[in-house]
């Protein structure tokens, strides 16, 4: 318990969190999205909420990471391992962000980057307050934390 927060799992000093976003009817009218953040079974820092604003799967994934970062920062955590099954989020944080910043927030096709404001918020939290490890985990492969984050995201979307 390096950070003085009971019940948090750690690996080499990094607090471990699982994040997930989901969206029912993604890309269609009536879409409902939710976010899930899982620190540990029954932990007070876990999050299950409906997504506010435009409901898409990608936004939900980003907002779940934002919620995890905000919770960690509020608890004084500086080292955070974010486990996600979202290849999109991992690529945003580890690859594309550098290109987008260089190219004034245009993507490879010359179009404005989708979800720019959400990504900027996520990166502000990461760049300003945290040292992170982004870990991509396989979806639906029996990883307890990922299963729980998925359940929390679906529960959040159901409350949309």
């Amino acid at each position: 318990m390096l950070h003085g927060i009971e019940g948090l799992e750690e690996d080499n000093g990094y607090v471990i969190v699982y994040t997930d976003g989901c969206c029912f009817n993604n890309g269609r009218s009536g879409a409902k999205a939710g976010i899930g953040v899982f620190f540990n079974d029954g932990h007070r820092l876990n999050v299950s909420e409906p997504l506010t604003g435009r409901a898409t799967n990608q936004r939900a994934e980003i907002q779940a990471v934002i919620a995890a970062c905000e919770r960690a920062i509020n608890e004084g955590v500086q080292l955070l391992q974010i486990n996600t099954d979202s290849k999109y989020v991992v690529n945003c944080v580890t690859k594309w962000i550098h290109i987008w910043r260089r190219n004034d927030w245009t993507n490879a096709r010359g179009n404005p980057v989708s979800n720019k404001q959400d990504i900027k918020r996520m990166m502000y939290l990461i760049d300003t307050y945290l040292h992170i490890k982004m870990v991509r985990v396989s979806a639906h492969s029996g990883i307890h934390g990922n299963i729980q984050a998925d359940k929390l995201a679906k529960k959040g979307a159901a409350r949309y």
Side-chain angles (χ1 to χ4, degrees), residues 4-16:
I5 306 165
E6 193 170 328
L8 292 185
E9 296 291 323
E10 296 190 23
D11 181 31
N12 290 322
Y14 283 78
V15 170
I16 297 171

Side-chain angles (χ1 to χ4, degrees), residues 71-113:
R71 294 279 176 131
I73 291 163
N74 288 339
E75 294 294 324
V77 172
Q78 294 177 329
L79 304 175
L80 187 65
Q81 177 177 314
I82 301 167
N83 296 330
T84 177
D85 60 18
S86 172
K87 186 176 183 179
Y88 172 75
V89 167
V90 171
N91 284 334
C92 283
V93 172
T94 64
K95 294 180 183 178
W96 301 332
I97 188 65
H98 310 294
I99 298 165
W100 293 335
R101 285 174 172 161
R102 253 195 334 263
N103 295 338
D104 197 29
W105 290 92
T106 56
N107 65 21
R109 294 189 177 122
N111 298 321
V113 171

Side-chain angles (χ1 to χ4, degrees), residues 5 14 32 44 61 95 100 129 131 134 138 141 159:
I5 306 165
Y14 283 78
K32 297 176 180 180
R44 64 182 172 81
E61 294 283 3
K95 294 180 183 178
W100 293 335
Y129 299 103
H131 295 282
M134 288 296 297
S138 297
S141 62
R159 296 189 354 247

Side-chain angles (χ1 to χ4, degrees), residues 35 37 39 47 49 62-72 125:
I35 65 170
V37 176
F39 282 91
V47 177
E49 295 176 353
I62 295 166
Q63 287 296 325
V65 171
I66 289 171
C69 290
E70 289 173 341
R71 294 279 176 131
L125 295 171

Side-chain angles (χ1 to χ4, degrees), residues 19-24 26-27 31-37 49-68 70 84 86-90 92 96 100 113-122 153 157 160:
T19 65
D20 203 6
C22 75
C23 186
F24 302 118
N26 192 38
K32 297 176 180 180
I35 65 170
V37 176
E49 295 176 353
L51 181 67
T52 57
R54 186 171 48 92
T56 70
N57 187 58
Q58 305 296 35
R59 279 200 70 240
E61 294 283 3
I62 295 166
Q63 287 296 325
V65 171
I66 289 171
E70 289 173 341
T84 177
S86 172
K87 186 176 183 179
Y88 172 75
V89 167
V90 171
C92 283
W96 301 332
W100 293 335
V113 171
S114 297
N115 307 312
K116 174 183 169 183
Q117 294 310 316
D118 296 312
I119 294 165
K120 284 180 103 171
R121 173 73 181 153
M122 175 177 65
Y160 196 79

Side-chain angles (χ1 to χ4, degrees), residues 108-160:
R109 294 189 177 122
N111 298 321
V113 171
S114 297
N115 307 312
K116 174 183 169 183
Q117 294 310 316
D118 296 312
I119 294 165
K120 284 180 103 171
R121 173 73 181 153
M122 175 177 65
M123 294 311 301
Y124 169 76
L125 295 171
I126 290 169
D127 291 342
T128 306
Y129 299 103
L130 297 165
H131 295 282
I132 65 158
K133 280 195 242 176
M134 288 296 297
V135 177
R136 182 153 182 265
V137 296
S138 297
H140 313 292
S141 62
I143 299 168
H144 180 71
N146 185 250
I147 292 166
Q148 297 308 311
D150 181 66
K151 286 180 183 178
L152 291 168
K154 287 177 179 168
K155 196 182 295 185
R159 296 189 354 247
Y160 196 79

